[in-house]
Amino acid sequence: MTLALPITCPLCGMQLAMNPKAIGMGAGSWEVQCTECWQACEGVSGYDSRTALAYKQLSELREQFVNTGDITLVEDDILKLAHDYDVTFQDRHCDCGAPFSIAAKPRCPVCSAIVFNSYFHYVFTPDV
């Protein structure tokens, strides 16, 4: 769960960095990714009564992922959360037209390929 961990896009080779979601200064909000491109929006808040339970469950699933390193152990629970809670932000769509989802993985800002097999991280272009 290291901050600004260097990572390379597996498709285009872009040098990126990866951060965990809802850690540090952004701990109260769990951003959700677009299902087709790199953009994200604020989606799940620990302070919003509509999404506080989902925030708690995501935090618990992240802890399980961190302890095991096995994303497959939490996959079904993530998909269920997405099914139950994506509706709370269904009125917001990405600029590309696709929906945002709890179950979307981080994508490259250059080619939109999935960069890392995680629901608990986001990627960005580091300042050079």
Side-chain angles (χ1 to χ4, degrees):
M1 300 304 289
T2 304
L3 292 175
L5 183 68
I7 190 166
T8 303
C9 175
L11 186 62
C12 74
M14 179 72 174
Q15 295 301 304
L16 304 167
M18 176 175 59
N19 274 349
K21 293 181 180 180
I23 296 287
M25 292 185 68
S29 176
W30 198 282
E31 77 177 18
V32 291
Q33 307 287 140
C34 175
T35 58
E36 298 295 325
C37 79
W38 62 273
Q39 296 187 64
C41 74
E42 186 176 315
V44 178
S45 172
Y47 306 109
D48 182 337
S49 61
R50 296 173 300 152
T51 60
L53 180 58
Y55 180 92
K56 181 179 182 297
Q57 291 171 320
L58 283 165
S59 297
E60 290 168 355
L61 292 169
R62 176 183 52 214
E63 189 69 25
Q64 184 178 354
F65 171 66
V66 168
N67 289 336
T68 65
D70 188 350
I71 197 74
T72 62
L73 296 177
V74 299
E75 202 127 38
D76 288 343
D77 292 325
I78 291 287
L79 294 174
K80 182 177 180 339
L81 277 174
H83 179 267
D84 293 346
Y85 286 95
D86 282 359
V87 69
T88 62
F89 39 88
Q90 73 180 3
D91 59 331
R92 291 180 275 168
H93 280 78
C94 181
D95 292 341
C96 77
F100 294 101
S101 177
I102 289 171
K105 296 176 181 174
R107 293 178 176 270
C108 176
V110 174
C111 70
S112 294
I114 293 174
V115 175
F116 187 68
N117 192 23
S118 173
Y119 305 105
F120 309 108
H121 296 84
Y122 66 94
V123 297
F124 59 96
T125 306
D127 292 333
V128 181

